[in-house]
Amino acid sequence: VVFGNPIFFHLDKINQISDKKTIYKKFNLNPTKKIILFTTSKYQGPSEKYDYDIKVWRYLLKYFSNSHDIYLVLKPHPNENITKYQEILREFTTSNSKIISGNLIELLQVCDIVISNFSTAIVDSICLNKPVIEVKWPGIRQIPFEEHGVIIQSKLEDLASAIKNMDSIEIKDNLFQIREIFLKEHYNIPFNKSKLENVLKELLNC
């Protein structure tokens, strides 16, 4: 029997329990900066065959590596070889960008925007109420989050504009309102704990 990620059984309490100051300190992040978290999608879908993550990382560094207001964080997929990402990072003179192979949930709690391709981290981001921009690639069939209006999709060449548009309170409010309906309809989040207990009892008594 699969019930999904157990951390979301208590989704309503995650932000209350978390100590964001400790997370900023742990990863040496500046809380006064807007943190853009890029989660790679290696081993997930077409990204295993194509270099989409490499293209997005280079793009983000090109447009934001010298920004005084933004901090870029690349969160690689578990067990992913990050050598290429490190090589690209060294091509830029930057003090506001880093690669962190840390706890995804912790990084999501302190970031302001999430960028991804096809990663399941998109679901985690939506659960934690973070605005998500999914990079759209021609000819690639992606999970239809955008059809539900719960994320923003952008072509790579338009990504900088999409990030700037996320400053709009109207856009954020719209995403967050749709989020509640989306999570309940598709993932039954927040969970009805009493109903979950009843289901478990019925299964155990079979």
Side-chain angles (χ1 to χ4, degrees), residues 23-24 27-38 69-74 96 100 107-115 130-131:
I23 299 174
Y24 284 119
F27 296 120
N28 193 25
L29 297 171
N30 187 339
T32 66
K33 303 278 190 180
K34 178 191 294 183
I35 298 175
I36 296 178
L37 178 64
F38 170 44
D69 305 316
I70 289 175
Y71 203 100
L72 297 174
V73 175
L74 182 147
N96 71 327
I100 301 178
L107 289 171
L108 285 173
Q109 287 175 303
V110 296
C111 79
D112 297 283
I113 299 174
V114 177
I115 310 292
K130 297 298 178 177

Side-chain angles (χ1 to χ4, degrees), residues 29-176:
L29 297 171
N30 187 339
T32 66
K33 303 278 190 180
K34 178 191 294 183
I35 298 175
I36 296 178
L37 178 64
F38 170 44
T39 62
T40 70
S41 52
K42 186 69 174 176
Y43 311 126
Q44 299 186 68
S47 277
E48 191 163 8
K49 183 178 179 181
Y50 302 103
D51 60 347
Y52 295 135
D53 293 324
I54 297 297
K55 291 178 179 178
V56 174
W57 183 226
R58 189 183 296 279
Y59 179 98
L60 289 172
L61 288 167
K62 176 182 177 181
Y63 281 90
F64 299 106
S65 62
N66 292 313
S67 172
H68 298 293
D69 305 316
I70 289 175
Y71 203 100
L72 297 174
V73 175
L74 182 147
K75 166 65 174 75
H77 192 276
N79 302 316
E80 182 178 0
N81 186 331
I82 63 173
T83 301
K84 189 62 178 179
Y85 302 129
Q86 292 172 325
E87 291 175 354
I88 294 172
L89 182 59
R90 286 193 289 268
E91 294 176 13
F92 295 82
T93 303
T94 176
S95 60
N96 71 327
S97 312
K98 65 170 58 178
I99 300 167
I100 301 178
S101 299
N103 182 286
L104 174 62
I105 300 300
E106 288 182 334
L107 289 171
L108 285 173
Q109 287 175 303
V110 296
C111 79
D112 297 283
I113 299 174
V114 177
I115 310 292
S116 196
N117 289 308
F118 335 92
S119 176
T120 52
I122 291 177
V123 177
D124 299 321
S125 306
I126 295 170
C127 285
L128 291 176
N129 216 18
K130 297 298 178 177
V132 179
I133 300 175
E134 182 183 40
V135 183
K136 185 176 182 180
W137 301 97
I140 298 298
R141 185 177 180 182
Q142 296 169 253
I143 300 173
F145 294 113
E146 199 265 345
E147 291 181 10
H148 300 281
V150 76
I151 65 164
I152 299 296
Q153 270 196 345
S154 171
K155 295 179 181 178
L156 182 62
E157 58 266 31
D158 300 325
L159 185 55
S161 296
I163 290 171
K164 292 175 183 177
N165 289 339
M166 276 296 188
D167 289 333
S168 166
I169 295 176
E170 183 179 352
I171 290 177
K172 287 183 179 179
D173 285 347
N174 186 53
L175 288 173
F176 295 157

